[in-house]
């Protein structure tokens, strides 16, 4: 059973948390203790269950009536497992949106049927597209407040399709829903006979998303294992996560940055020998010959090309309250490989509100821009759009040790 990771996004009060709550409630995916608290609320306040409380768990969120953090929920059906990220709607929480979208396969863009496509809808669609998400569901919510109007649904659909050429989604599905009463969430609603598509849950169960197993094989050494006891004095293994693709015993690989070619002679998983490992597996690799391999070294198949460079063009999402400083040295962490890096140039900033690039000399909190950086040692990476597993990194301020930026590498020109 595979797992679908998706993020919900939209304006404040568009009903994101209620949508997720309805999805969990109607699919019987709420824990018994949590359901008991919701039922207790009914008895005390004499109101219907507030489904948004299922995700808005922080006290500050409940009091303000907004979502200020990324709330994660997990549930499963007979067909699929799901991990949901509920992202904040406010513009000042763009970095939270970036966090949730970075690991998502699909984005649900919630649109209030009464308001239509807004600037924030465009902003979230743009961010989801930038983060490499290829599948989008536009859930036109609160359709019940407009008498389930097919005309309103089609108008909003046409408005969104007018801007989809600016996005990188390869599939967009439009669904009329009412999160509050449950129309087209888990079951098709009789109140929208003009809608010929599937309910939201069935769409999520059946939508086809690309998997990391189909990408080029990438592995980075997290830990070098060399036991000190006499019984295992010849043991030398290299532990890590298969980021994408897969590896088999007898595969010919190249170790980077040393450029040494060798062969995989053994693969271990959960202390047992296996013949093949795939994306998502935590494994230990053993190689032919006595090779000097360190934490952060990359292992790629001989036939899989990977980009090597010290001057890199990248998207940056700035996460710090202090502005980016051109020429300042930061630590660039590419999974388990750390190098020192300087920002050479701010090429352009993306104005997501006006959907255009602008020239600028400063990057502030929540800004998204294209920059060029130079590292003191080579990096081995893919472009983010080709392989998000090996195409991202973070910048760390060497003085404060704070993570100040998320990077998404671009193709070399």
């Amino acid at each position: 059973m595979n797992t679908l990771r998706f993020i919900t996004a939209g304006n404040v009060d568009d009903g994101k948390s209620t949508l997720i709550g309805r999805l969990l409630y109607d699919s019987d995916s709420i824990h018994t203790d949590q359901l008991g608290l919701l039922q207790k609320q009914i008895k005390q306040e004499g109101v219907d269950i507030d489904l948004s409380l299922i995700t808005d768990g922080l006290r500050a969120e409940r009091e303000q009536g907004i979502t200020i953090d990324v709330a994660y929920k997990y549930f499963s059906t007979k067909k699929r497992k799901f991990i949901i990220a509920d992202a904040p709607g406010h513009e000042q929480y763009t970095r939270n949106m970036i966090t949730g979208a970075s690991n998502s396969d699909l984005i649900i863009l919630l649109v209030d049927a009464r308001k239509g496509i807004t600037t924030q809808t465009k902003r979230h669609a743009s961010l989801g597209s930038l983060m490499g998400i290829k599948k989008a569901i536009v859930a036109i919510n609160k359709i019940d407040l407009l008498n389930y109007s097919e005309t309103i649904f089609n108008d909003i659909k046409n408005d969104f399709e007018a801007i989809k050429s600016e996005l990188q989604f390869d599939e967009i599905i439009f669904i009329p829903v009412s999160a509050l009463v449950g129309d087209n969430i888990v079951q098709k609603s009789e109140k929208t006979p003009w809608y010929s598509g599937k309910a939201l849950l069935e769409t999520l169960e059946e939508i086809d998303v690309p998997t990391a197993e189909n990408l080029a094989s990438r592995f980075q050494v997290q830990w070098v294992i060399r036991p000190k006891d006499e019984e295992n004095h010849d043991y030398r293994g290299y532990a890590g996560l298969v980021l994408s693709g897969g590896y088999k015993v007898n595969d010919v690989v190249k170790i980077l940055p040393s450029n040494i070619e060798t062969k995989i002679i053994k693969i271990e998983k959960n202390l047992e020998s296996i013949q093949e490992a795939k994306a998502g597996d935590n494994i230990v690799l053993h190689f032919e010959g006595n090779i000097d391999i360190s934490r952060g070294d990359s292992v790629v198949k001989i036939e899989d090309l990977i980009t090597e460079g010290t001057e890199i063009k990248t998207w940056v999402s700035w996460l710090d309250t202090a502005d980016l400083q051109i020429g300042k040295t930061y630590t660039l962490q590419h999974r388990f490989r750390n190098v020192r890096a300087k920002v050479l140039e701010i090429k352009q900033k993306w104005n997501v509100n006006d959907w255009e690039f602008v020239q600028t000399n400063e990057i502030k909190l929540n800004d998204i821009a294209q920059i060029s950086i130079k590292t003191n040692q080579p990096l081995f990476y893919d472009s983010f759009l080709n392989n998000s597993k090996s195409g991202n990194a973070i910048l760390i301020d060497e003085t404060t040790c704070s993570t100040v930026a998320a990077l998404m590498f671009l193709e070399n020109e």
Side-chain angles (χ1 to χ4, degrees), residues 104-135:
S104 295
D105 306 306
L106 177 146
I107 183 169
I108 297 178
L109 293 162
L110 216 64
V111 177
D112 189 324
R114 301 167 301 175
K115 301 174 184 176
I117 304 300
T118 65
T119 298
Q120 193 73 329
T121 306
K122 295 179 181 180
R123 181 181 183 84
H124 287 155
S126 178
L127 288 171
S129 177
L130 170 65
M131 296 305 296
I133 297 175
K134 296 299 183 184
K135 307 290 182 177

Side-chain angles (χ1 to χ4, degrees), residues 149-161:
S149 170
E150 180 181 7
T151 301
I152 295 293
F153 173 81
N154 287 330
D155 286 345
I156 295 174
K157 179 180 178 180
N158 293 335
D159 287 345
F160 193 90
E161 287 184 331

Side-chain angles (χ1 to χ4, degrees), residues 26-38:
D26 284 2
S27 61
D28 298 322
S29 301
I30 302 177
H31 293 302
T32 303
D33 56 346
Q34 196 171 18
L35 185 59
L37 289 174
L38 293 174

Side-chain angles (χ1 to χ4, degrees), residues 15-248:
K16 300 183 303 299
S17 297
T18 301
L19 177 78
I20 296 173
R22 174 61 65 186
L23 191 60
L24 296 173
Y25 185 73
D26 284 2
S27 61
D28 298 322
S29 301
I30 302 177
H31 293 302
T32 303
D33 56 346
Q34 196 171 18
L35 185 59
L37 289 174
L38 293 174
Q39 291 171 339
K40 184 178 179 181
Q41 176 205 15
I42 293 177
K43 294 179 181 178
Q44 289 178 341
E45 302 177 16
V47 297
D48 291 337
I49 289 178
D50 184 354
L51 295 170
S52 67
L53 295 182
I54 295 171
T55 51
D56 287 343
L58 297 178
R59 182 177 179 182
E61 293 180 356
R62 294 199 303 268
E63 291 175 349
Q64 296 181 53
I66 62 171
T67 300
I68 59 178
D69 200 357
V70 180
Y72 291 94
K73 286 293 174 182
Y74 309 84
F75 78 105
S76 63
T77 66
K78 293 180 180 179
K79 295 183 178 180
R80 202 170 226 171
K81 296 179 181 179
F82 301 94
I83 301 175
I84 315 170
D86 180 19
H90 288 67
E91 182 175 340
Q92 65 264 38
Y93 299 120
T94 296
R95 56 183 174 178
N96 304 64
M97 168 79 182
I98 293 287
T99 300
S102 62
N103 291 309
S104 295
D105 306 306
L106 177 146
I107 183 169
I108 297 178
L109 293 162
L110 216 64
V111 177
D112 189 324
R114 301 167 301 175
K115 301 174 184 176
I117 304 300
T118 65
T119 298
Q120 193 73 329
T121 306
K122 295 179 181 180
R123 181 181 183 84
H124 287 155
S126 178
L127 288 171
S129 177
L130 170 65
M131 296 305 296
I133 297 175
K134 296 299 183 184
K135 307 290 182 177
I137 295 175
V138 179
I140 301 171
N141 192 28
K142 304 185 182 180
I143 197 74
D144 56 310
L145 300 181
L146 296 171
N147 294 319
Y148 301 92
S149 170
E150 180 181 7
T151 301
I152 295 293
F153 173 81
N154 287 330
D155 286 345
I156 295 174
K157 179 180 178 180
N158 293 335
D159 287 345
F160 193 90
E161 287 184 331
I163 63 173
K164 72 178 182 181
S165 61
E166 304 288 336
L167 304 166
Q168 302 294 321
F169 301 127
D170 60 22
E171 184 176 8
I172 302 173
I173 298 170
F174 298 88
I175 306 176
V177 302
S178 171
L180 188 63
V181 298
D183 292 307
N184 293 323
I185 302 296
V186 171
Q187 302 290 338
K188 283 287 297 291
S189 174
E190 296 179 354
K191 298 173 183 176
T192 54
W194 43 266
Y195 171 65
S196 59
K198 300 172 182 176
L200 176 62
L201 181 59
E202 187 178 2
T203 302
L204 293 171
E205 286 179 325
E206 297 182 359
I207 196 165
D208 202 15
V209 294
T211 66
E213 294 178 36
N214 299 324
L215 301 174
S217 297
R218 301 289 184 250
F219 178 93
Q220 201 182 71
V221 176
Q222 181 178 358
W223 196 257
V224 180
I225 303 175
R226 294 193 66 187
K228 295 182 180 179
D229 58 281
E230 293 184 4
E231 183 179 344
N232 297 294
H233 70 278
D234 290 328
Y235 186 101
R236 184 182 297 218
Y238 303 93
L241 174 71
V242 181
L243 301 175
S244 59
Y247 294 86
K248 297 179 181 178

